[in-house]
Amino acid sequence: MRGRLAPGPPPEVGSLGTWYANVVPLPYPGRSVVLFMAADAMLSVVAPGRSLGTTLPVFQHRVPRLLHRLGLPEAWAEAKARDLADIHIARAGAETLDRRVLGTMNDAAVQIRYDAEAAGAFERLDLDAVEDGLADVPLGALGYSSPAETVVRVARGERSGEERSGG
């Protein structure tokens, strides 16, 4: 699996859109996760670590697992996994021109820290449960659909609620 972190705005990649990443410090000394988010679906994937480069293989492994947990067709989830073999990830912040992405990533980071505090220890933090929870949150940026609902529509070839409403 390859991937690249490149300067400047990334090209649109795949049916979930561009992926962005940001480091989220946890309430445990020296522990962080990297939050990856697909711009079009606002789908979040969380990988333990601080470095985008070293967490990329974990991200590429976790995406199809999340898609399977969301009940998406196996063939579609595996195709998305293959799309990630050569993916461009942009760091959130200066390279992210879309305020919807920045705001949603900030909200997700708060939720991740809350979940980490509730777990009490890094070893008890269930990243699958964190991702599943983030996938179920209705978002204004998606016309108050959840990322899970949006990804299901994308998998069926439908447009998102925001695209239908012209937003």
Side-chain angles (χ1 to χ4, degrees):
M1 289 186 206
R2 296 174 305 178
R4 62 189 171 127
L5 299 169
E12 287 293 318
V13 178
S15 58
L16 298 177
T18 302
W19 285 89
Y20 291 93
N22 202 20
V23 177
V24 178
L26 298 178
Y28 317 120
R31 293 294 198 150
S32 298
V33 295
V34 176
L35 167 63
F36 295 87
M37 184 174 285
D40 289 353
M42 302 292 178
L43 189 66
S44 297
V45 175
V46 181
R50 284 179 262 225
S51 165
L52 299 177
T54 59
T55 59
L56 191 58
V58 176
F59 159 77
Q60 291 168 318
H61 176 73
R62 292 190 65 79
V63 170
R65 288 180 48 195
L66 173 58
L67 296 175
H68 289 140
R69 288 195 313 275
L70 294 177
L72 293 161
E74 179 108 9
W76 192 86
E78 293 306 318
K80 294 303 121 202
R82 284 189 302 275
D83 287 348
L84 299 175
D86 187 25
I87 188 167
H88 180 120
I89 304 285
R91 289 177 180 89
E95 297 172 4
T96 312
L97 302 177
D98 189 341
R99 289 181 188 212
R100 297 172 325 120
V101 174
L102 287 174
T104 304
M105 287 187 85
N106 286 337
D107 290 346
V110 169
Q111 184 62 44
I112 291 166
R113 284 190 291 272
Y114 174 82
D115 290 344
E117 287 176 12
F122 183 76
E123 296 72 28
R124 290 195 302 261
L125 180 60
D126 181 347
L127 296 181
D128 288 352
V130 170
E131 291 170 349
D132 294 348
L134 292 171
D136 286 336
V137 175
L139 301 172
L142 297 174
Y144 294 99
S145 289
S146 70
E149 294 166 332
T150 301
V151 171
V152 167
R153 280 196 298 274
V154 169
R156 290 181 183 156
E158 300 173 20
R159 298 181 325 176
S160 71
E162 180 177 286
E163 290 170 337
R164 282 195 302 270
S165 67

